[in-house]
Amino acid sequence: MRVLISEEKIQAKVQELAQTINRDYGNRNDLEDNPVLLVGLLKGSFVFLADLVRHLTIPVEIDFMAATSYVGTQSTGNLIILKNLNESVHDRHVLIVEDIIDTGLTLYEIRERLLLESPASFEICTLLDKPVKRHSAVPVKYVGYTIGDEFVVGYGIDYNEQYRSLPYVGVVEGAVEGAEGSDRE
Ligand code: IMP
Ligand code: MG
């Protein structure tokens, strides 16, 4: 395993992201009545969300969604929801928390779908961004680290369900580029 982003660097970045989020949402006067709804995308975001939320000082609620996207014949609508949110996001301040964005397809589809419910606001926060293979443009307000076209694991992110528990982000040596068999969730 080659360490790409150390535990210390990740923790520093998570704090920095939380401070920015606290600042951005902090001057809204409706958060006491309408807390920010953090939507963690399972499974990969569970570690990031758990660390991030402990640095947030704004009122928040937490929900999770599990979805997988596939490249079909249509440009949109290729989303399978494995676990939906417990409640509608209508009039909610939605902040999506994602582990890594690659092609952008999953988030594009989720965004389209949730915007239909008319949330009060909608933003995306991702720990890692891999813009090289992006083909579905999706506006991401909060980005931790931008990385190259490498298949990474750790800090919630898996290869064949392995390595999620690593406290750092690394590259499996000898792993094939764009490895098959990894969950897209
Ligand atoms: P997208 O729809 O191509 O943006 O897919 C994003 C999802 O693919 C992420 O939430 C991950 O679950 C998975 N993914 C993308 N890149 C990697 C990687 O480098 N390692 C492990 N999973 C990845
Ligand atoms: Mg994911």
Side-chain angles (χ1 to χ4, degrees), residues 69 98-106 130 150-152 157-158 182-185:
S69 58
E98 175 64 305
D99 51 354
I100 182 167
I101 307 178
D102 188 13
T103 66
L105 182 63
T106 312
K130 280 207 289 196
E150 286 191 286
F151 192 85
V152 296
I157 302 169
D158 77 306
S182 172
D183 275 344
R184 307 296 293 172
E185 99 290 355

Side-chain angles (χ1 to χ4, degrees), residues 24-128:
D24 286 359
Y25 286 87
N27 49 17
R28 297 194 103 105
N29 50 21
D30 63 336
L31 291 189
E32 292 297 333
D33 301 321
N34 191 11
V36 175
L37 181 64
L38 300 176
V39 174
L41 301 187
L42 295 173
K43 299 174 188 173
S45 72
F46 79 106
V47 178
F48 178 38
L49 178 60
D51 281 346
L52 184 73
V53 76
R54 281 175 285 178
H55 294 291
L56 293 179
T57 52
I58 51 171
V60 294
E61 290 179 9
I62 295 161
D63 204 346
F64 292 97
M65 192 171 175
T68 181
S69 58
Y70 60 96
V71 182
T73 49
Q74 295 164 305
S75 58
T76 58
N78 303 314
L79 191 73
I80 301 167
I81 307 272
L82 304 168
K83 186 228 170 284
N84 215 334
L85 296 173
N86 288 0
E87 288 169 33
S88 164
V89 299
H90 184 68
D91 282 345
R92 300 301 306 267
H93 293 293
V94 176
L95 178 57
I96 300 282
V97 179
E98 175 64 305
D99 51 354
I100 182 167
I101 307 178
D102 188 13
T103 66
L105 182 63
T106 312
L107 264 177
Y108 180 88
E109 299 281 351
I110 288 175
R111 179 172 179 272
E112 291 290 295
R113 193 183 169 100
L114 293 181
L115 287 183
L116 292 176
E117 295 177 23
S118 304
S121 64
F122 186 93
E123 300 295 350
I124 294 167
C125 173
T126 188
L127 180 70
L128 303 177

